[in-house]
Amino acid sequence: MLKDMRAVLYYLAVDMRFSFIVFWSIMILSITTMFLIVLSFDTNMIVVTSMAIYIFCGITGFLTTKETFPYCIKLGATRNQYLLSVLIYCVIVATVFSTIHIIYLKIFNQIVAISGSEHFLTFHTVEATALANTWYNQLFVDTIICFLLLSFGFLLGTIFYRTGLIGGLSTLALIVIIAIFPPTRNFLLDILVDMEGWKQGLNFLLVLGVALLAYLPNWGMLRKASTLPGATR
């Protein structure tokens, strides 16, 4: 079992390698370019680098089922092995991306400080929470949020894989309705978020629990799933 899971993890890593290199290349080049623009034109700029990572993790989770499930099953992995491997893969991706992000921010902020520029600022998500703005809190917040988005992206991708475009879009419509329905929205905010001025005291343990629970429906949907997406059957 462990040998098969290692094979699945290796396949997932190889599948992501190109997008990983492209993402960080664009990320580093974009931030560097914006900083040079600030230095050249004496303008002010605030950059929220965390958002790019969160969006990438959500998209990565969404594409995982379609791009890897059929091939892993055809190569001999069981569905349980695949799901457990994806869970481990999401934890690793969230941790690695968060770690690289924090290291890059530390190095880049040092460069900004040396340049003496006060017009270019980076804003981290932890500054919008009640936690202290330290590197370990930044790493913690990024990892939890990345893992949450990978988890929900994977679940949504599985829904699209099994039910096709109609089922996937119906699920998205249901999520939007739940999000804008005041009683439901307020209930979720009361559980997950404790507002304190403009800062938010997130219940990160509960967020982590929600991310883990989001994997349970995947097992039910992929237990007898075909290696062909629902839209092509």
Side-chain angles (χ1 to χ4, degrees):
M1 178 178 178
L2 292 178
K3 183 178 179 180
D4 292 336
M5 288 179 60
R6 284 198 299 268
V8 173
L9 287 170
Y10 177 77
Y11 179 84
L12 292 169
V14 171
D15 181 72
M16 187 190 187
R17 180 174 56 189
F18 178 75
S19 57
F20 175 88
I21 295 173
V22 170
F23 171 79
W24 283 109
S25 298
I26 294 175
M27 177 84 158
I28 294 173
L29 182 61
S30 299
I31 302 299
T32 303
T33 302
M34 286 187 284
F35 178 58
L36 293 176
I37 290 174
V38 169
L39 289 180
S40 302
F41 298 97
D42 193 26
T43 184
N44 296 320
M45 189 175 295
I46 300 176
V47 179
V48 185
T49 53
S50 301
M51 292 305 301
I53 297 175
Y54 301 158
I55 293 172
F56 181 83
C57 285
I59 295 174
T60 298
F62 177 76
L63 296 176
T64 298
T65 305
K66 179 182 178 181
E67 294 187 350
T68 64
F69 174 74
Y71 304 102
C72 289
I73 299 304
K74 289 178 181 178
L75 290 174
T78 67
R79 285 157 174 77
N80 289 337
Q81 290 170 351
Y82 173 78
L83 286 170
L84 186 55
S85 298
V86 170
L87 177 60
I88 297 172
Y89 163 78
C90 288
V91 172
I92 294 174
V93 169
T95 304
V96 169
F97 267 70
S98 301
T99 302
I100 295 175
H101 180 223
I102 300 306
I103 294 174
Y104 173 69
L105 275 185
K106 290 296 180 183
I107 296 174
F108 187 79
N109 287 335
Q110 286 295 324
I111 296 174
V112 174
I114 292 172
S115 70
S117 175
E118 298 180 354
H119 301 287
F120 189 89
L121 300 174
T122 56
F123 183 86
H124 193 277
T125 309
V126 75
E127 297 179 63
T129 72
L131 297 175
N133 187 19
T134 59
W135 69 267
Y136 48 86
N137 282 335
Q138 292 177 354
L139 179 62
F140 174 72
V141 170
D142 274 350
T143 303
I144 293 294
I145 296 178
C146 286
F147 180 63
L148 176 69
L149 292 172
L150 283 162
S151 175
F152 274 96
F154 180 57
L155 175 59
L156 186 60
T158 300
I159 293 173
F160 269 90
Y161 182 86
R162 281 305 311 270
T163 62
L165 191 62
I166 295 177
L169 291 178
S170 300
T171 302
L172 283 177
L174 180 61
I175 293 174
V176 171
I177 293 174
I178 292 175
I180 64 176
F181 189 56
T184 307
R185 182 187 64 230
N186 294 335
F187 173 74
L188 293 174
L189 288 175
D190 289 341
I191 294 177
L192 297 174
V193 182
D194 179 22
M195 298 301 297
E196 182 182 338
W198 64 276
K199 294 193 173 184
Q200 302 174 358
L202 294 175
N203 189 336
F204 287 103
L205 290 179
L206 185 57
V207 172
L208 179 60
V210 170
L212 291 172
L213 286 174
Y215 275 88
L216 294 180
N218 290 302
W219 183 85
M221 286 185 286
L222 294 179
R223 187 167 60 93
K224 296 183 179 180
S226 169
T227 54
L228 293 176
T232 63
R233 293 197 300 271

